[in-house]
Amino acid sequence: MPNERLRAVMAAGGWTCESLAAKAEVDPKSVERWVNLGRVPRRRTAHKAAEALREDVYALWPALRQAKAARAVSPELVALYGHRADVPVSAFIDLLASARERIDVLVYAAVFLHEAYPRLNELLRERAEAGCTMRIALGDANSPNVQQRGREEKFGHGIESRCRLAVMHCQPLIGVAGVEVRTHGTTLYNSLYRADDQMLVNAHLFGVNAYAAPVWHLRRSDDGGMFDTYAASFDAVWETARPVEAT
């Protein structure tokens, strides 16, 4: 089916297939197929042509909007790991060290970070002193949801003890300017490690320990994208959490 919208825009602007092809850097026969056969150019080429015509690219080729919505891989996805155990601890540390404005951590325990990197508290303190706002949400060992997770992962009371250990690890951060540590009792669907506009998301699966579950690395690109969805989830949990007192 011919693309009558494209034909009309070209006619109104005095464009020929040859002149538009030159701007879009394609063969004139390609432009002829766009017009006469309704062919849809590649996205990059379509944007070049639409810019030359001073027309909305989706008005000329509505199918591009549908293709964008159906894209299988989000542009926010930097990397995907099959298991958290596949992610080098340095990836978590480098992410946190890169923060300039905000660090948000939502976990039940995540004591593997303190165990693998004994300087973690020093690093977080340095980031806070440099002006980072920091929110750390740990699991409440007395929460039924935390205890249920232990049963589901066949970890028993181990997860509760690890939550208590995580609070102990974070005690030196209590009272540091810009740092808040709280405990939450929510069902944890994902562990989140955010540094400014980057985030590591450790998914949680029924009956699977967190180290064996996938992790994806996100970088925020657009308002309302995947990154913002996870960030809003963090905020919702944070509102339910209670401050940890110094001991």
Side-chain angles (χ1 to χ4, degrees):
M1 180 180 296
N3 188 331
E4 298 299 340
R5 171 80 181 201
L6 176 59
R7 190 194 305 276
V9 170
M10 289 177 61
W15 291 88
T16 64
C17 290
E18 288 74 17
S19 60
L20 183 57
K23 286 290 186 179
E25 300 179 355
V26 296
D27 189 275
K29 291 187 179 297
S30 295
V31 179
E32 291 178 9
R33 288 191 286 269
W34 299 349
V35 176
N36 299 323
L37 302 178
R39 298 284 175 81
V40 179
R42 294 181 178 179
R43 188 176 300 276
R44 184 187 299 271
T45 302
H47 278 281
K48 286 182 181 178
E51 182 178 358
L53 295 171
R54 296 185 179 181
E55 178 64 290
D56 178 57
V57 66
Y58 299 119
L60 294 173
W61 295 287
L64 287 176
R65 187 187 302 277
Q66 297 170 4
K68 182 179 181 181
R71 181 164 45 191
V73 178
S74 167
E76 294 182 287
L77 184 63
V78 177
L80 175 64
Y81 302 88
H83 310 96
R84 193 193 71 195
D86 298 333
V87 186
V89 171
S90 60
F92 289 91
I93 301 306
D94 290 347
L95 180 79
L96 298 173
S98 72
R100 295 295 178 267
E101 298 179 358
R102 175 185 298 277
I103 290 176
D104 288 335
V105 177
L106 170 62
V107 295
Y108 271 165
V111 294
F112 73 95
L113 288 178
H114 279 97
E115 292 170 347
Y117 189 73
R119 285 197 68 256
L120 181 59
N121 281 346
E122 294 177 45
L123 170 62
L124 296 177
R125 185 187 293 270
E126 290 168 3
R127 290 294 83 226
E129 291 174 350
C132 270
T133 299
M134 198 173 305
R135 299 182 295 177
I136 301 174
L138 307 172
D140 179 352
N142 298 316
S143 163
N145 289 319
V146 171
Q147 295 167 3
Q148 178 64 27
R149 176 61 57 82
R151 291 190 290 271
E152 291 169 356
E153 295 182 359
K154 299 180 175 59
F155 204 46
H157 297 293
I159 193 167
E160 299 162 41
S161 62
R162 291 177 79 81
C163 286
R164 293 188 177 95
L165 182 58
V167 172
M168 291 174 59
H169 277 309
C170 288
Q171 275 292 330
L173 297 172
I174 306 299
V176 174
V179 179
E180 287 188 81
V181 181
R182 298 183 183 182
T183 57
H184 69 96
T186 66
T187 300
L188 191 63
Y189 299 104
N190 301 279
S191 292
L192 308 177
Y193 306 83
R194 175 184 180 179
D196 296 336
D197 285 344
Q198 296 192 73
M199 184 185 299
L200 291 170
V201 180
N202 184 188
H204 293 299
L205 305 172
F206 184 88
V208 178
N209 196 282
Y211 67 79
V215 170
W216 38 91
H217 181 177
L218 301 178
R219 180 178 287 112
R220 188 176 186 272
S221 61
D222 298 311
D223 290 339
M226 290 175 64
F227 185 99
D228 285 351
T229 299
Y230 284 110
S233 176
F234 179 96
D235 291 338
V237 173
W238 187 253
E239 291 301 313
T240 72
R242 298 180 301 176
V244 173
E245 302 292 336
T247 59

